[in-house]
Amino acid sequence: DVKVTQSSRYLVKRTGEKVFLECVQDMDHENMFWYRQDPGLGLRLIYFSYDVKMKEKGDIPEGYSVSREKKERFSLILESASTNQTSMYLCASISPRAANTGELFFGEGSRLTVL
Amino acid sequence: RKEVEQDPGPFNVPEGATVAFNCTYSNSASQSFFWYRQDCRKEPKLLMSVYSSGNEDGRFTAQLNRASQYISLLIRDSKLSDSATYLCVVNGETSYDKVIFGPGTSLSVIP
């Protein structure tokens, strides 16, 4: 059974704290994505990566960074969390060979609250 | 203009009804199109791909109009279990392009 695992389902952090969200996939997928999902705004792409050590900015990269040191792991970092980063964060992966099937595999999400 | 736009919803329909969702996209070079379903507090999951010739999967029919840059999803004989948010998804020109999600349309099927 294919799997994308996100390290934490629920986190509560304080303004200014550094936050790490980790995502691991076991499907040997090249492409991985971080989205945030907010009511009325849908899923917005933060960063994506198409290979180890490669990264591309999505639509809303400000305030975030990412790390892809190993193919299976894609981390999202909030250097200094702010209240407007309170959101649901979703990690996803896809193989380029499956791009036409469109099947992104998502993790269960990490709900972050910044106080 | 947003890259992918959907009917705002929410749609509240009785069991057995037929409901249609629409979606428009702005990038005429987009190659692949999909509908995802997202249950409350769950992650999105692929419902079906959308092919140029139109395609059907049981009670679900998807259609694509490239000239109008328009995608639709029709659900016939709605079931209570169809209640969810339906996301229109557009893939870019290459496999490395970002996948763009629409904001989603919420459907509630009422007994």
Side-chain angles (χ1 to χ4, degrees), chain B residues 2-111:
Chain B
K2 291 183 181 175
E3 293 184 76
V4 179
E5 296 191 68
Q6 293 185 241
D7 283 350
F11 284 61
N12 299 310
V13 303
E15 267 188 292
T18 295
V19 60
F21 302 136
N22 301 317
C23 171
T24 57
Y25 60 96
S26 60
N27 183 356
S28 59
S30 297
Q31 292 295 313
S32 311
F33 310 90
F34 313 92
W35 285 99
Y36 275 66
R37 171 194 169 125
Q38 185 173 22
D39 293 310
C40 189
R41 298 188 178 277
K42 297 282 190 180
E43 71 274 21
K45 292 186 178 178
L46 180 66
L47 177 66
M48 59 194 301
S49 302
V50 186
Y51 301 122
S52 298
S53 54
N55 50 298
E56 197 171 296
D57 183 1
R59 297 181 293 108
F60 298 83
T61 301
Q63 292 194 309
L64 168 65
N65 184 322
R66 284 190 183 270
S68 301
Q69 295 178 209
Y70 169 95
I71 305 158
S72 66
L73 177 68
L74 184 77
I75 305 176
R76 290 181 299 279
D77 188 25
S78 299
K79 311 289 185 193
L80 296 177
S81 58
D82 293 334
S83 298
T85 296
Y86 291 83
L87 306 171
C88 175
V89 180
V90 175
N91 203 356
E93 300 172 45
T94 72
S95 60
Y96 297 144
D97 274 353
K98 51 189 180 178
V99 177
I100 308 295
F101 283 77
T105 302
S106 174
L107 171 66
S108 290
V109 181
I110 304 160

Side-chain angles (χ1 to χ4, degrees), chain A residues 6-24:
Chain A
Q6 292 185 227
S7 54
S8 306
R9 292 293 305 278
Y10 300 94
L11 301 98
V12 180
K13 298 290 182 180
R14 295 202 177 275
T15 300
E17 281 193 83
K18 192 168 185 175
V19 182
F20 289 91
L21 298 178
E22 299 222 303
C23 174
V24 178

